[in-house]
Amino acid sequence: MKHDKKQLSPVILVTGARGQIGTELVAALRNVYGREQVIATDLHDAAALPDLEGPYRQLNVLDKDELENLVATYGVTQIYHLAATLSAKGEEAPLKAWHLNMQSLLNILEAAKDHKLDKVFWPSSIAVFGPSTARKISPQNALLDPQTVYGISKEAGEQWCAYYREHYGVDVRSLRYPGLISYSAPAGGGTTDYAVAIFHEALQNGRYECYLSPNTALPMMYMDDAVRATLQLMNAPVEVLKERGAYNIGALSFTPAQLAVELKNHLPDFTISYNTDKRQSIANSWPAGVEDTEARRDWNWHPEYDLVTMTAHMLDHLTPVYKNNSNTAAVS
Ligand SMILES: NC(=O)c1ccc[n+]([C@@H]2O[C@H](COP(=O)([O-])OP(=O)(O)OC[C@H]3O[C@@H](n4cnc5c(N)ncnc54)[C@H](O)[C@@H]3O)[C@@H](O)[C@H]2O)c1
């Protein structure tokens, strides 16, 4: 499949497409642009993936030659670069996380420059914030003092994106995602993973041991909102994007105790206990919420899910999965 760059429909390559965000973003992009227009890529061999629903290529994003080869072969016009090591996992092997997060971004930005791509999406994170940020709600232009290698890579990444935009005219757009909550794919090693795991454990075992303390409030967002925000940002006319770094986007802010109360409204026997680990100190360095006036002003950002609707939606999707599993176990 070789595409004509002048055609109207973009040809989109997604890296890290099998991860928590990629799983849903690829489906959403295919809905909008068509199945064949979106090439999903990740580390896995296609032969090991029976559930592929469109074009897929194995790609280690550190392999610059193979990346360039795919861009040229498919006539790629946009890249959504999602492959990365997340905050908690990054602390286990900081130099490896730095190498993956930075070198992969530079490979993508170089490809965008050399192949004159129309647009690039690269997610930043609330991990760019640190202790000097207002604890309650962090403004767009807060001083960035990240405490993790992941946060440092996101801060540096924001600067590299600005550099390629300024010096080479690469149209790279970015959001500082908060912790994302979804039912399709497991969370990938971040500090906010508890907010996904708690649903699975509640339905499977009726209890959850949380690695953060009960009153740790963090910025969060339901995946439907995150995907919608991403598409909205990427479709906005370039001239309305006044914030040329990564946009803050806010949605939810809650603590493990508040999420547990909401879960108990649906599952009255659910219990939660607490046993904090190293992730607590990462969470302590992040704000409880973010201020997103700029995103609302420039491209009309509005979240749709609150704690109540997010919890109900997660349970609607996951309850049948665990019911079916227990029926299968009972039969076998
Ligand atoms: N999930 C969140 O809560 C969250 C919050 C803020 C920012 N983000 C950012 O969004 C992006 C995607 O996050 P996610 O949650 O989907 O992560 P994830 O860990 O679920 O998925 C990452 C994917 O990248 C792939 N990958 C790893 N190394 C690779 C390599 N060398 N080459 C190609 N693919 C490779 C993995 O196989 C995996 O499928 C990341 O940049 C992350 O920093 C995520």
Side-chain angles (χ1 to χ4, degrees):
M1 178 179 53
K2 170 83 182 166
H3 296 268
D4 176 2
K5 279 212 174 193
K6 293 196 187 74
Q7 67 187 11
L8 286 179
S9 245
V11 180
I12 298 170
L13 185 137
V14 182
T15 74
R18 302 286 297 179
Q20 192 195 5
I21 300 174
T23 304
E24 305 215 18
L25 190 58
V26 165
L29 288 167
R30 285 184 174 148
N31 258 343
V32 176
Y33 298 108
R35 212 174 71 115
E36 297 302 315
Q37 301 303 114
V38 182
I39 301 128
T41 71
D42 207 305
L43 287 176
H44 319 275
D45 182 349
L49 304 173
D51 59 338
L52 290 177
E53 287 174 350
Y56 174 86
R57 291 294 300 265
Q58 185 174 21
L59 172 69
N60 180 340
V61 79
L62 292 173
D63 184 344
K64 189 167 186 286
D65 292 342
E66 182 55 13
L67 170 68
E68 302 250 353
N69 177 32
L70 285 182
V71 168
T73 306
Y74 285 92
V76 168
T77 61
Q78 298 186 15
I79 296 181
Y80 286 65
H81 175 39
L82 305 179
T85 299
L86 272 62
S87 58
K89 227 167 147 192
E91 293 307 286
E92 290 165 18
L95 296 187
K96 205 169 152 208
W98 173 258
H99 181 60
L100 172 62
N101 293 4
M102 291 325 307
Q103 194 53 52
S104 69
L105 175 61
L106 290 171
N107 289 351
I108 298 288
L109 291 171
E110 278 290 293
K113 167 173 76 80
D114 294 344
H115 294 264
K116 304 197 173 8
L117 300 193
D118 293 339
K119 285 176 209 173
V120 173
F121 176 75
W122 170 79
S124 185
S125 159
I126 53 156
V128 293
F129 300 122
S132 68
T133 303
R135 291 293 78 209
K136 229 173 162 180
I137 185 153
S138 174
Q140 176 71 47
N141 296 315
L143 176 76
L144 305 183
D145 58 345
Q147 300 297 292
T148 59
V149 69
Y150 173 71
I152 299 171
S153 75
K154 291 297 185 186
E155 181 193 10
E158 288 190 14
Q159 301 295 342
W160 272 117
C161 289
Y163 186 93
Y164 272 74
R165 216 164 23 231
E166 187 64 29
H167 292 272
Y168 306 123
V170 174
D171 184 359
V172 48
R173 304 179 181 195
S174 184
L175 296 171
R176 288 175 182 152
Y177 287 136
L180 300 181
I181 302 163
S182 64
Y183 56 85
S184 310
T191 303
T192 54
D193 286 9
Y194 90 84
V196 177
I198 194 171
F199 284 92
H200 293 271
E201 293 289 321
L203 288 166
Q204 222 172 352
N205 305 317
R207 60 178 185 280
Y208 180 66
E209 184 179 272
C210 187
Y211 56 80
L212 296 182
S213 64
N215 296 323
T216 308
L218 289 171
M220 300 278 189
M221 181 177 287
Y222 194 45
M223 187 62 83
D224 290 27
D225 273 337
V227 167
R228 201 167 43 78
T230 307
L231 298 185
Q232 234 177 302
L233 174 74
M234 288 299 275
N235 286 327
V238 71
E239 57 280 5
V240 305
L241 302 177
K242 305 291 180 229
E243 174 51 55
R244 295 307 273 146
Y247 278 95
N248 278 9
I249 43 167
L252 311 169
S253 172
F254 58 78
T255 65
Q258 287 166 330
L259 179 54
V261 168
E262 190 50 36
L263 263 170
K264 269 175 96 67
N265 289 335
H266 298 265
L267 306 168
D269 295 335
F270 171 69
T271 58
I272 187 164
S273 56
Y274 298 93
N275 184 13
T276 58
D277 67 16
K278 284 185 195 153
R279 288 170 280 190
Q280 182 67 49
S281 64
I282 301 178
N284 289 346
S285 73
W286 292 350
V290 295
E291 208 236 342
D292 58 6
T293 313
E294 285 78 359
R296 289 172 187 260
R297 178 199 66 201
D298 291 356
W299 44 277
N300 201 23
W301 162 242
H302 287 101
E304 285 180 357
Y305 286 84
D306 59 19
L307 180 57
V308 173
T309 50
M310 178 278 287
T311 305
H313 215 251
M314 283 291 281
L315 290 173
D316 280 353
H317 285 272
L318 288 175
T319 305
V321 174
Y322 286 100
K323 272 221 169 93
N324 288 344
N325 284 354
S326 66
N327 288 345
T328 318
V331 170
S332 59

